[in-house]
Amino acid sequence: MGTCIRNLSGGAVLVAADDTWIEGKAIQQLETTARLGGMHRVAGMPDLHPGRGYPVGAAFFSVGRLYPALVGNDIGCGMALWRTDIPTAKLHLDKLEKRLGNLDLPLDETWQEAVASFGLPATGHERSLGTIGGGNHFAELQQLDESYDDAALAALGIERKHLLLLVHSGSRGLGEAILREQVDLFGHHGLEAGSEASAHYLGRHDGALRFAEANRQLIARRMLDRLRADGDVLLDINHNLVSPAQVDGLDGWLHRKGATPSDQGAVVIPGSRGDYSYLVQPIADERSLLSLAHGAGRKWMRSECKDRLASRYSVEQLSRTALGSRVICADRALIYEEAPEAYKAIDSVVGALREAGLVRVLARLKPVLTYKTRGGCC
DNA sequence: ATGTGC
């Protein structure tokens, strides 16, 4: 295995092992962001892949300026892990799938009190609360497959005999509207730290974080309700955000775009919907800008997935995975875009983090039932 | 990514 923390041009750093798939375009985008005004350091995670102008799976630390476009449109996107009281013994996937029903519609009036309990300010995006959204978002029942630290799992309250629930979603249309406002007003030039404009953005940004956290909680509660089960949240970590931070002794702004914080306790790094997810204990390290991969990372562009896979797999085949799990995805284009082949192998991503000394792996989690969408499209 | 753009 080669060195897992590599130096690129422009002072950029990349966390990757020899077997981690990294696209050249993503490296170029990372080096481009390193040259932005006020940018002090950038770090690519092993799930790095090209985005719209800026890479996904990276952290960016700047001084004196901050860049809403580096956080992207899904402000507050993150992972919440719940433990449930659903027994892993004698699982009936047909029953669970039927009970889940449709989770794409807005929450009905019986949820009013639960929604109000978050005390969110009115945004006009209330109809999105409790819905997962599209793209790589999902909610997945999982089971503990392999423990590497029984004591740590016991401390977290994770047991083999009950299913876990992992929710990956964000601020839906709200974050998108906030970024659109920024791009309309200021283009991609970023904001002067301390300015009125930056205070305005940060205020809306913080509102989107709270909205996204509430959304994940409502998604989990709604699923547990449908499954006639109960549960508790174990962790909830945002991976698209900007926060004040000190790096190299400098006060500045740490942007994370598909980069999971490594200074906030245990996190889950999910693979694709047909792959394992890993529960890891981060080891905070400034070399990676206090960040980790947020998932497997795309290997193929969305637009090329159906052409590559349509001759090999039917939609029905893609709804059953090699690990024995099921994927509920009524959107025919999306199920190809989200096929396991379109993503990097999670072992190559988590392996790079482990070899770089950035995580201790606590457990391997196996997918049981994934909800993407029941709506279908067009 | 987006109660999805022309």
Side-chain angles (χ1 to χ4, degrees):
Chain A
M1 283 298 159
T3 309
C4 286
I5 302 187
R6 309 164 187 204
N7 294 308
L8 308 173
S9 75
V13 157
L14 176 65
V15 182
D18 291 343
D19 66 344
T20 315
W21 176 297
I22 304 283
E23 213 170 313
K25 189 180 173 187
I27 304 244
Q28 282 173 23
Q29 290 182 336
L30 191 65
E31 290 170 337
T32 300
T33 60
R35 290 191 283 271
L36 290 172
M39 195 55 66
H40 181 66
R41 281 212 287 132
V42 306
M45 305 299 128
D47 58 337
L48 185 78
H49 60 278
R52 289 202 157 278
Y54 311 107
V56 181
F60 317 92
F61 178 72
S62 60
V63 175
R65 286 192 89 65
L66 60 127
Y67 291 90
L70 290 182
V71 176
N73 62 314
D74 195 5
I75 303 162
C77 187
M79 300 281 170
L81 181 69
W82 288 60
R83 63 171 180 179
T84 79
D85 60 359
I86 305 167
T88 45
K90 54 184 175 70
L91 273 176
H92 295 290
L93 290 183
D94 286 332
K95 189 173 78 181
L96 291 174
E97 191 175 336
K98 194 173 171 195
R99 281 188 179 176
L100 270 182
N102 188 313
L103 301 166
D104 298 348
L105 300 169
L107 293 170
D108 65 29
E109 57 282 359
T110 64
W111 289 89
Q112 265 175 16
E113 204 175 316
V115 171
S117 72
F118 292 98
L120 298 171
T123 60
H125 292 270
E126 286 70 26
R127 280 169 58 86
S128 297
L129 285 168
T131 65
I132 294 164
N136 58 0
H137 291 172
F138 63 84
E140 186 170 275
L141 290 168
Q142 303 181 333
Q143 66 182 96
L144 176 59
D145 187 62
E146 208 62 74
S147 164
Y148 309 106
D149 186 335
D150 291 345
L153 296 189
L156 281 164
I158 294 175
E159 342 150 277
R160 229 172 248 287
K161 64 179 179 197
H162 291 134
L163 293 182
L164 295 162
L165 172 59
L166 183 66
V167 177
H168 177 204
S169 188
S171 56
R172 315 285 280 97
L174 174 60
E176 202 274 335
I178 294 169
L179 178 63
R180 188 160 14 87
E181 178 190 64
Q182 288 298 314
V183 173
D184 288 349
L185 287 171
F186 307 111
H188 287 239
H189 295 115
L191 305 167
E192 189 188 338
S195 65
E196 203 174 306
S198 74
H200 172 74
Y201 170 72
L202 289 169
R204 294 203 76 189
H205 163 281
D206 292 351
L209 299 191
R210 292 201 303 277
F211 184 98
E213 286 157 8
N215 187 36
R216 286 187 289 274
Q217 200 164 135
L218 288 164
I219 290 165
R221 285 271 167 232
R222 183 186 208 181
M223 289 181 76
L224 292 169
D225 192 59
R226 295 273 175 90
L227 298 171
R228 299 169 210 168
D230 203 356
D232 308 285
V233 66
L234 302 178
L235 60 94
D236 187 336
I237 310 271
N238 296 318
H239 52 234
N240 288 352
L241 74 163
V242 59
S243 31
Q246 198 176 61
V247 171
D248 295 334
L250 297 169
D251 288 316
W253 295 94
L254 182 53
H255 310 68
R256 291 183 174 99
K257 173 59 176 174
T260 295
S262 64
D263 56 355
Q264 292 170 31
V267 302
V268 175
I269 303 177
S272 71
R273 291 348 326 122
D275 207 343
Y276 296 103
S277 296
Y278 286 94
L279 177 70
V280 304
Q281 180 62 49
I283 299 160
D285 191 324
E286 276 198 10
R287 292 176 303 164
S288 73
L289 292 178
L290 305 172
S291 299
L292 304 171
H294 78 310
R298 294 200 72 79
K299 196 168 70 179
W300 296 347
M301 286 191 303
R302 291 190 177 277
S303 56
E304 64 185 349
C305 296
K306 193 160 186 190
D307 284 345
R308 282 178 181 255
L309 294 171
S311 62
R312 287 166 64 189
Y313 304 110
S314 66
V315 168
E316 291 68 31
Q317 286 172 308
L318 287 174
S319 69
R320 300 283 187 275
T321 77
L323 295 178
S325 67
R326 292 191 192 178
V327 180
I328 299 169
C329 183
D331 183 330
R332 297 177 63 87
L334 185 61
I335 201 166
Y336 283 101
E337 292 170 15
E338 293 291 301
E341 282 84 350
Y343 282 85
K344 306 183 196 192
I346 191 62
D347 283 349
S348 74
V349 171
V350 172
L353 295 172
R354 185 171 41 74
E355 286 164 33
L358 299 176
V359 299
R360 204 158 54 74
V361 181
L362 301 180
R364 186 170 76 175
L365 312 176
K366 192 168 92 165
V368 171
L369 177 60
T370 308
Y371 189 99
K372 296 284 294 179
T373 177
R374 218 147 210 167
C377 150
C378 317

